[in-house]
Amino acid sequence: MYKHVSSQGTCSEPTHNVPSQTCGGLNCDDKNACTNDFCSGGKCISTPTNCDDANRCTIDSCDSISGCKNEPVRDSSFFELFLVTDKYGGETSWDLLSVDESEVIASGDGYASLSTYDIKFPICLHPCYKFVIIDSWGDGMCCKHGEGGWSIKVDGEEVASGSSFDTEETYEFCRGGSRQTDTPSFSPSRASPMPSVTPSTVSSPAPSPAPSPAPSIGPSVGTSIGPSIGPSTMPSTNRAASTAPTRGESSTPSKSPMETPSRPPTRSPSMVTTTAPSFKPTKSNSNATWNEIFFSDFEVPRKWGAFFDGRIRDGDARRYGRGGAFVHSGVGSIRLRDNSDVASSVYTEDYDIGAYQMLRVDYWFYARSMDNKNENFLLEFSDNGGASWEIVKSWAKDIDFQNDVWYEVIVDFDASAIDVIRIRFRCDASNNGDVVYIDDVRFSGK
């Protein structure tokens, strides 16, 4: 349910002797709480228990009787988040950041509906912090669909609470004293049961390097059939009915995708990819003019623009709305992470493109904490309402991009045999720390 970003070490290898006799009818439990005991190949095997809680503000150790111990370091403070979800708990997520947003300390998502969570851990790395709580639907936690809300304490003293907001609410505080932003009052009842919370590790954001030249992208592109999300399994984007609400495209962009943001991020030169997928015959239409089908910059009031999120496990696809290095222009972008299939994607509704021979997707992206060439993201299309997807192009770390650099990509592909199409972006990485931000998407045809 929540996770820290990094840690300092694990328990050392136990020094006791591992039984070597065959397991037939024998109990391999060596009565040591710091080992995991099992039978393999007819022999008892013991492996060390990993006591790393991924929090750099704890000293992790293991006691052979009581098991793992995670003691706070000296001069740390104690952070507590009390969370009550509404009828759509999967829409709730949160981040605890350094106040300058240079580091993600901890984050949480994937919560059950109408449930109560009491999340506690020590903090020590910074004097001041920023807490951000997000509702992916944009209607907060109270009061249309239940009386949800949140409150945070530092060293036992409540410093902020809230419940009624739109997409997100932000609060800054310091250890030993708060830097308050206005938040509504929330007084949660502690009568509800508190589910257990198990931490897991995610990566912290890397500092922006100097600009590097954009990698080249070849003209060829492979194809594959993606996961089925047809009408019978397509996640609903409307609580009242299974029909998705219309988030129609904008015929005129609210601003140019080349507009300079208030804090310019590191950028590389643009890379242009022209693709002619082998699964469609190409018909020349080089003299025609590109006609814009939609432009999405992920700004208010449309926020998600022409796209819907995967809506299966909220949090892996999210609208980011705080500006800075993670947007190409304005204050909004789309953040995709992990490899949760549909839940790690954003997709459009169907568009009638029967009048066009060629299609173009022009957009900007920024990757963070991708580790190697096996971590990538994809542009895909479906011509059957999302029942299956075909890859237009994928982009992999070290082959097509480096982290912490903004790239512009222009992808052209043949659509002469397609009448109706929807497109999607999908992340295919390895954990929640592997992130790609998408901004200023222009879809055109000719």
Side-chain angles (χ1 to χ4, degrees):
M1 291 298 180
Y2 89 96
K3 47 268 177 185
H4 290 280
V5 297
S6 58
S7 61
Q8 52 176 32
T10 61
C11 289
S12 59
E13 184 79 28
T15 57
H16 66 281
N17 293 325
V18 177
S20 59
Q21 71 271 25
T22 60
C23 304
L26 297 178
N27 185 356
C28 290
D29 185 1
D30 63 3
K31 308 302 181 183
N32 187 335
C34 295
T35 63
N36 301 301
D37 309 315
F38 58 95
C39 181
S40 177
K43 294 183 178 182
C44 289
I45 304 295
S46 292
T47 60
T49 298
N50 184 357
C51 292
D52 182 2
D53 65 354
N55 186 344
R56 286 179 286 169
C57 296
T58 62
I59 298 174
D60 307 322
S61 61
C62 193
D63 180 86
S64 61
I65 303 300
S66 59
C68 289
K69 293 183 177 181
N70 309 106
E71 301 293 335
V73 300
R74 180 178 295 182
D75 297 327
S76 62
S77 295
F78 209 69
F79 175 87
E80 179 178 5
L81 167 63
F82 189 73
L83 188 68
V84 178
T85 59
D86 62 8
K87 293 181 180 179
Y88 299 92
E91 298 171 4
T92 299
S93 61
W94 59 271
D95 294 313
L96 181 65
L97 315 165
S98 57
V99 75
D100 62 357
E101 299 191 14
S102 63
E103 182 176 5
V104 181
I105 308 301
S107 60
D109 59 20
Y111 295 107
S113 300
L114 300 176
S115 298
T116 302
Y117 298 86
D118 199 4
I119 302 165
K120 304 176 183 178
F121 52 86
I123 54 176
C124 67
L125 302 177
H126 303 277
C128 296
Y129 296 83
K130 178 178 290 187
F131 175 76
V132 182
I133 189 156
I134 298 168
D135 182 271
S136 62
W137 189 269
D139 60 359
M141 303 174 70
C142 184
C143 298
K144 290 175 61 179
H145 303 285
E147 296 183 359
W150 61 273
S151 66
I152 56 176
K153 291 182 178 181
V154 178
D155 293 329
E157 180 179 351
E158 184 171 304
V159 296
S161 63
S163 57
S164 299
F165 57 95
D166 293 326
T167 300
E168 67 179 52
E169 193 165 35
T170 300
Y171 186 87
E172 295 181 5
F173 64 91
C174 296
R175 297 164 58 198
S178 67
R179 295 170 48 173
Q180 184 162 357
T181 55
D182 292 335
T183 55
S185 175
F186 168 62
S187 300
S189 168
R190 294 181 180 257
S192 305
M194 299 179 185
S196 61
V197 181
T198 303
S200 59
T201 303
V202 298
S203 303
S204 59
S208 296
S212 59
S216 61
I217 303 179
S220 62
V221 57
T223 67
S224 70
I225 300 299
S228 172
I229 54 169
S232 62
T233 59
M234 178 72 71
S236 171
T237 55
N238 188 334
R239 293 168 174 162
S242 60
T243 303
T246 300
R247 305 190 197 189
E249 70 279 6
S250 168
S251 59
T252 303
S254 59
K255 59 181 179 292
S256 167
M258 297 298 293
E259 177 181 328
T260 303
S262 57
R263 188 177 69 181
T266 303
R267 299 219 178 106
S268 76
S270 303
M271 53 176 150
V272 178
T273 304
T274 302
T275 66
S278 58
F279 47 84
K280 301 294 179 186
T282 302
K283 293 184 179 180
S284 176
N285 198 22
S286 58
N287 295 325
T289 301
W290 290 104
N291 297 297
E292 183 178 290
I293 300 171
F294 69 74
F295 174 78
S296 293
D297 57 8
F298 310 111
E299 303 297 325
V300 174
R302 293 180 50 77
K303 294 184 178 180
W304 286 86
F307 289 86
F308 304 92
D309 70 340
R311 311 291 306 170
I312 289 182
R313 190 176 70 210
D314 295 277
D316 286 345
R318 177 189 296 177
R319 178 187 176 270
Y320 176 86
R322 299 196 294 274
F326 301 148
V327 299
H328 170 251
S329 64
V331 299
S333 63
I334 293 299
R335 187 216 67 184
L336 304 176
R337 70 182 185 188
D338 205 3
N339 59 347
S340 304
D341 198 45
V342 180
S344 294
S345 72
V346 290
Y347 62 93
T348 69
E349 61 187 354
D350 287 333
Y351 288 94
D352 184 348
I353 49 91
Y356 302 123
Q357 301 293 312
M358 295 290 296
L359 295 175
R360 167 172 289 184
V361 180
D362 180 352
Y363 73 100
W364 290 80
F365 76 89
Y366 179 101
R368 180 168 63 86
S369 299
M370 296 283 195
D371 297 326
N372 52 56
K373 65 182 181 180
N374 295 320
E375 298 192 337
N376 57 25
F377 69 98
L378 310 93
L379 172 65
E380 300 172 305
F381 82 89
S382 174
D383 59 4
N384 55 14
S388 61
W389 295 85
E390 297 193 34
I391 297 173
V392 176
K393 176 68 181 173
S394 65
W395 291 266
K397 167 72 164 58
D398 295 332
I399 298 176
D400 302 304
F401 64 86
Q402 298 298 320
N403 289 321
D404 305 300
V405 180
W406 277 101
Y407 294 90
E408 184 185 24
V409 178
I410 300 174
V411 181
D412 296 342
F413 61 101
D414 182 63
S416 57
I418 304 174
D419 294 322
V420 177
I421 196 172
R422 63 178 59 182
I423 63 171
R424 76 173 179 181
F425 291 98
R426 178 169 61 89
C427 186
D428 186 21
S430 61
N431 61 56
N432 285 344
D434 304 324
V435 175
V436 61
Y437 294 89
I438 307 290
D439 202 0
D440 292 329
V441 180
R442 191 184 305 274
F443 185 41
S444 306
K446 71 175 183 177

